[in-house]
Amino acid sequence: MPINNRIADFHDEMTEWRRDFHTHPEIGLEEVRTSAIVAEKLASWGIEVHREIGVTGVVGVLRGNGSGTGTIGLRADMDALPMDEEGDVPYKSQIPGRMHACGHDGHTTMLLGAAKYLAETKNFDGTVHFIFQPAEEGRGGAKKMVEDGLFERFPCDSIFGIHNAPHMPAGTMAFRGGPILASADRATMTVHGKGAHAARPHDGVDPIAVGVQLYQAVQTVVSRNTDPLKSVVMSITQFHAGTANNVIPATAQLIASIRTFDTEVQDMVERRLTELCDGVGRMYGARVELEYLRGVPPTVNDIDEATFAAEVGEALVGADKVDREPAQAMGSEDFSIMLAKRPGAFVWLGGGAPGKDYGLHHPKYDFNDEALPVGASFFAKLVETKLPRG
Ligand SMILES: [Zn+2]
Ligand SMILES: [Zn+2]
């Protein structure tokens, strides 16, 4: 696998770090041990360390050789998921209900590997900001770091992040300009009817009957209100009502997950859901309350920065190992919040191998350590190419 030789020298060391993180997973905003290790390692290599940016977030600042004023941000996420690990690796999670099932242990390790190498070689002219983000998995880590003044305190002309991809062979990379991952919003629709005895429906307003109509009505947002050339998915994932066989309940609740690549579609979905909740409620003498929560925005790569990253990737792993047109996915990623503030790119790094092909968030998933030096070399090469020495 073509990688930076010096980084290859500490492949074993990186593997140990990664497995240690894997054994001690921490969920979002609770990355106390992980962030302490990150901070301690960065400091040991002479990198300036700033902690508690976004609760448990860490930023390392490294200046290269020369007087260049260019800046670059490299980001890794540190959090695990609230689930039990089912695999039987020797470094299996020791914490019940906690697991690195998305490979953020690998992301953190790759960025540490790049930091160690860059601190040692300083073969660049400008400033690198190593951004170790907490709470990617739905607990708002990127937002918290940005709100804590991430880009004001640590200016970044451009930013880059890597996500491992177990569906792509190890050693390959994929780059795409424009939207690459979807937004993720949540709509909670609460039907306020009127409870009654099951034998006397005419005394009440049955919220289940209204909820069923509402379920049907909202399907038309995708099928009838969305431009057929655009993508949106709306899944009603929860429908709660009732507690007893002989009671018509007073309320029912439907919860939907909504994903799209386009903020105009997001606006349209919110507007149509508002209208439909209001209209269906009136039709049946109930009141439907809508709470529309904007989660993360679509992950949109800057076209030029994605092209730049692809060129760096091709120089590293070879053009035959690079996919320049990977499919978009309806999953989401909160690096999108940083990408909405600064131009940059989120890239895929293959980690698939025989026996290592469980998907992200699978209870047997395990980051492929063979990908560590590739990701670390990619981060390092981004810096050396973006901020070349004069
Ligand atoms: Zn994940
Ligand atoms: Zn992830």
Side-chain angles (χ1 to χ4, degrees), residues 164-317:
N164 76 98
H167 61 283
M168 287 164 42
T172 64
M173 300 192 77
F175 302 86
R176 186 186 176 102
I180 182 164
L181 287 167
S183 58
D185 295 345
R186 175 181 153 129
T188 303
M189 295 164 273
T190 307
V191 182
H192 298 279
K194 187 178 171 213
H197 194 291
R200 298 186 57 81
H202 54 290
D203 288 342
V205 174
D206 183 353
I208 297 177
V210 181
V212 169
Q213 299 299 324
L214 185 62
Y215 179 93
Q216 302 284 3
V218 302
Q219 303 307 318
T220 62
V221 176
V222 177
S223 67
R224 302 289 84 191
N225 299 138
T226 305
D227 179 339
L229 296 177
K230 295 191 172 171
S231 298
V232 60
V233 60
M234 174 159 49
S235 292
I236 306 275
T237 50
Q238 299 180 56
F239 191 159
H240 303 287
T243 52
N245 174 53
N246 53 359
V247 177
I248 292 169
T251 62
Q253 194 170 64
L254 290 80
I255 298 179
S257 174
I258 297 131
R259 291 149 189 273
T260 176
F261 298 110
D262 194 313
T263 44
E264 278 175 26
V265 174
Q266 237 178 334
D267 294 342
M268 181 277 293
V269 172
E270 181 172 0
R271 178 176 55 79
R272 283 300 291 144
L273 284 183
T274 306
E275 291 165 357
L276 287 166
C277 285
D278 186 54
V280 171
R282 281 165 195 270
M283 249 163 59
Y284 295 97
R287 184 173 64 82
V288 184
E289 186 189 340
L290 169 69
E291 186 197 10
Y292 194 95
L293 204 79
R294 297 264 174 153
V296 297
T299 302
V300 182
N301 284 340
D302 181 86
I303 301 287
D304 292 341
E305 297 300 350
T307 302
F308 165 76
E311 284 162 4
V312 169
E314 285 186 354
L316 183 71
V317 300

Side-chain angles (χ1 to χ4, degrees), residues 30 61 68 77 126 130 136 164 226 299 307 318-319 325 330 379 382 390:
E30 295 177 13
V61 182
D77 40 14
F130 302 101
E136 192 285 320
N164 76 98
T226 305
T299 302
T307 302
E325 286 188 332
M330 290 316 263
F379 272 140
L382 277 176

Side-chain angles (χ1 to χ4, degrees), residues 81 101-102 104 136-137 163 360-361:
L81 283 155
C102 204
H104 300 182
E136 192 285 320
E137 302 282 5
H163 207 295
L360 300 173
H361 295 203

